Amino acid sequence: MNKKAFIFDLDGVIVDTAKYHYLAWQKIANQLGIEFTPEHNEELKGVSRVRSLDIILELGKIEADQEHKDKWLVQKNEDYLSYLVDMDESEILSGVVPVLKFLKENNQLIALGSASKNARPILEKTGIISYFDAIVDGNDVTNAKPDPEVFLRAAKLLNVAPEEAIVFEDSVAGVQAANIANMTSVGIGDATILHEAKFIFPDFTHIDEQFIESLIK
C-alpha cells in the first residue's frame, strides 16, 4: 500500500468535547447578556479561542478592551478544563478507534491538526495518544482555520506532500482549510453544513475499511 498522511481534527471528530466548549462559551455569553444558541456555536467550530470570543462579542454588539478580553479568555479556558477533569476513553466518538487501528495496521501516518491548546492532555486522558505520529495544535500555529497552516505543518512533520494527505473535519472552516491546502477533505457531520467536503459521513461508524483503502491507493 502507498503511505498517506491521515490528519484528524480533535473536537467533534475524535472526542465529544464540543459540548464542553459550548457550555463554557455560553457561560461567558450569559454574563454579558448575549443570547448564545447551539446554532451560534456552529460558527465557532474549528475557530481559535480569541476569534471565538470576538464572534460572541459581535453577536451582542459589545466592544471591549484587551484587558477584559484576556479575563474572559482565561475564564472560558478554566471552565472548559473543569469539564475535562474526569475525561476518559468514553469520550471517544464511536467508530474512531477502529479507523485508527486499521490505519496503524496498514502502516499509514496519523497526525492531529487541531485549534485546541488542550489537545495533548485530551489524547492522553482518552488513551489514544500513541496512535499519533505528529501532533499540531493551537500552541503550534498562529493562523486559525480556514487558513491551512495547521494541516500543512502536520503534513510537513510527516514528510508527506499536501496532495497525499487526507483530513477528517467536522467544521466548515476545517473543510475549507483542507481544500485550500489541496488535501482530500472528509467531512464528519451534517452534509448540508459540510457540503464543501469531498466526502461526507454522519460519523465514523459509517466509514468502512474499503473506503479507507480507496484513499490509500
Side-chain angles (χ1 to χ4, degrees), residues 101-163:
K101 284 183 177 178
F102 183 76
L103 292 173
K104 272 298 180 196
E105 289 166 359
N106 287 278
N107 300 310
Q108 298 302 303
L109 298 167
I110 303 173
L112 188 84
S114 170
S116 172
K117 292 189 175 183
N118 304 296
R120 286 173 175 81
I122 288 173
L123 293 178
E124 288 170 354
K125 281 177 173 287
T126 53
I128 56 174
I129 196 167
S130 62
Y131 284 105
F132 293 86
D133 301 295
I135 296 172
V136 182
D137 64 16
N139 299 296
D140 306 311
V141 296
T142 55
N143 300 308
K145 303 168 188 174
D147 188 287
E149 180 186 8
V150 65
F151 297 144
L152 291 172
R153 284 178 69 94
K156 188 173 182 179
L157 286 173
L158 298 177
N159 198 29
V160 172
E163 56 268 22

Side-chain angles (χ1 to χ4, degrees), residues 15-17 83-89 91 122 125-126:
V15 290
D16 189 16
T17 54
Y83 293 121
L84 304 185
V85 172
D86 299 320
M87 194 174 193
D88 58 24
E89 65 276 4
E91 296 281 1
I122 288 173
K125 281 177 173 287
T126 53

